[in-house]
Amino acid sequence: MATPAAESNLDRERLELALQSARLGEYEWDMVRDVLHVSERMAEITGLPAGETPADKGALLYRGVHPEDREKTRKYMEASMRAEGRFETEYRRIREDDGRIVWVRSSGVLVSDENGRPVRVCGVTQDVSDRRLEEDRRRALMSELDHRVKNVLAAVQALAQQTAKRTTSLDSFLKTFAGRLKSMASANELLTAARWRGAAIAHLAAAELGGIAPGQTRWEGPELFLTPRAANALSLALHELATNAVKYGALSNESGRVDVRWNRIADGGFELFWTESGGPPVPLPTHRGFGATLLGQVTGRELNGEAEVEYRRAGVRARLRAGSAAVVERPETVPDAPAPRLAAAVPLVSGSTDLRGARVLIVEDAVLLALELETGLSEAGAEVVGPAYELSEAMTLLDGPIDAAVLDANLNGLSVTPVAEALAARGVPFVFATGYGEAGGAPLGFDAPVIRKPYDVTQVAAAVAALLAKS
C-alpha cells in the first residue's frame, strides 16, 4: 500500500503531465512576501525569468501585457477576484526577452487564509497565438468572401441589365445571359481551384472553346496566370468572340477555324490574338450590341490594356493587350486543364419538353433553385416529387414511386450519395444539377448526366426527358 508521501508524489507527477500535455505554464503570486514564482513553462510562454521575482505588489503580472490591453485586463482580473475569487481572460502579451507579441489565456484563483485575508494567487497561462491567428485568418477570409460575392452579384446584375437592354425577346435574353453567366462561372471555378491566386490563360481558353466545334479551334501560348479581375474579363471576351463565331463566323460552318495565340510582352503583360479563317464572308456589323461594347470598352480597361476587333472579310481578328498588373506569378495550387464540358453542354430548348406523366424527384437545398426546377418541370408536364431540401427528406421520399430524379451533389454539407445509390439500385435514372466543378464526368463516380450551375431549367427538363427516353 502506497504511503501518503508516495501518493503525494504521484499526484504531483499526474499534475505535471497534465500541465505539460495542455502546454500550460503555472505561476504563483505570494502576496505576503510579494514575490512572483514563475515556472519554466511559464517562462517559455511569457519570456519572464523563471524562479522568484519581486512582484511589486502585483504590478509584475501586468507589466508585460500589451499597452492596448493592459488597463482593461487589470480591471477585469481584479474585479473578478473580488467578486468570485477567480478569473479567466485572454490578452496580448509582449515577451520580455525578445519583444514578440503572443496571445495568452490566463486563469487564476485567489487563495485566502483562515481569517479570509488574501495570501496568494495561483494561476496557469496558455499560449493561444495559433488559435487567435487562425481566427484572424478566418475572419479575413470571410470578409474577402463577402467582398467577392458582392462583386459577383453586382457583375451579374450589370450583365443582366446590359443584356436585357440589347435583346428584343425573353428567349433571346435567356440564351444570351445564360451563356455569359456560364462564362463567369467557368472563370470563377478555375480561380477557386487555385485559391483565387490566378487562372491560366490556357485553362480559360479550354473552358470557353474546348466544348464547341471539336477540331476547329486551337489555342497555344506560354504559361501565364491572370488576376481574378483579368481572368473574368478575358473569359467573357473569349465567350463573346466564340458566340459570334458560332452564330456568324468561322464556327458557323464545318470548314472554319479559330486560332487563339498569346505571348508575353516586354512590359510584363501579354498580347492575345483571335484569328478566324475559313468561314463565310464577314460583313461589317450594322449595330453595336453589348458584346461589342464589352470587348471595346470593358475588356481593355479590366486588362489594364486595350482591345481591338477587326471585321475582315476573311474572318474576324481580335487583339487583346494586357498590362503587367493583369499577370500574377504561378499559384501554389494549379488545377488540371478543364476537359471539354460535353456532359454539361445540354442545349437550351426553345420549344417545350414533354414530361407528361413522369414522376420526377427534386433534391436541391437552395430553395429558389428548387422552386425554379419545380415550376419548369411542372410546366413540362412532370409530377414533381418533393422538392427535398435535406438528405433525410430525400431518403423518405424514396419510398414512393419515382421515374427520374434531379440531384444536387451536396445538401447543406452532406453528400447526396445515399440517395444516388438508392436510385441506382432501383434502376431509376437521375441527372446531377450541381455547382461543383469536377471536370470530366459526373460527381461521386456515378454514370449520370451533369448540368453545371448556373443552368437554364429547360436544360434540366431536356436532360430528364432524354433519360426517360432511354429507360
Side-chain angles (χ1 to χ4, degrees), residues 255-437:
S255 61
R257 287 185 58 85
V258 170
D259 286 284
V260 180
R261 299 174 184 272
W262 62 90
N263 57 271
R264 190 184 288 272
I265 55 180
D267 67 357
F270 69 90
E271 277 189 325
L272 181 144
F273 298 92
W274 172 286
T275 306
E276 298 182 27
S277 59
V282 177
L284 289 174
T286 56
H287 72 283
R288 187 179 181 85
F290 177 58
T293 301
L294 189 149
L295 286 166
Q297 297 182 17
V298 179
T299 303
R301 184 177 294 275
E302 292 291 274
L303 292 176
N304 195 33
E306 58 187 10
E308 299 174 354
V309 181
E310 298 180 69
Y311 296 92
R312 298 180 176 181
R313 190 164 180 79
V316 171
R317 186 176 187 275
R319 181 180 74 92
L320 308 180
R321 182 185 178 95
S324 59
V327 180
V328 295
E329 295 294 327
R330 191 180 202 275
E332 293 181 5
T333 303
V334 178
D336 295 332
R341 298 183 174 222
L342 301 180
V346 181
L348 294 174
V349 180
S350 56
S352 60
T353 300
D354 189 2
L355 292 175
R356 285 176 294 180
R359 293 159 299 198
V360 182
L361 170 66
I362 296 175
V363 181
E364 168 62 65
D365 62 357
V367 178
L368 286 177
L369 284 179
L371 292 176
E372 183 185 7
L373 284 170
E374 183 177 13
T375 300
L377 295 176
S378 296
E379 289 176 350
E383 177 187 336
V384 172
V385 180
Y389 304 107
E390 303 283 349
L391 184 61
S392 57
E393 289 182 83
M395 296 301 293
T396 301
L397 292 173
L398 291 177
D399 295 335
I402 298 171
D403 298 311
V406 179
L407 307 179
D408 189 2
N410 184 285
L411 300 173
N412 296 313
L414 298 176
S415 172
V416 81
T417 298
V419 179
E421 288 176 340
L423 291 170
R426 290 172 49 180
V428 176
F430 52 87
V431 58
F432 285 106
T434 179
Y436 280 84

Side-chain angles (χ1 to χ4, degrees), residues 213-214 216 245-257 277-281:
Q216 292 181 252
V246 170
K247 287 182 178 179
Y248 317 111
L251 301 183
S252 64
N253 61 27
E254 296 182 358
S255 61
R257 287 185 58 85
S277 59

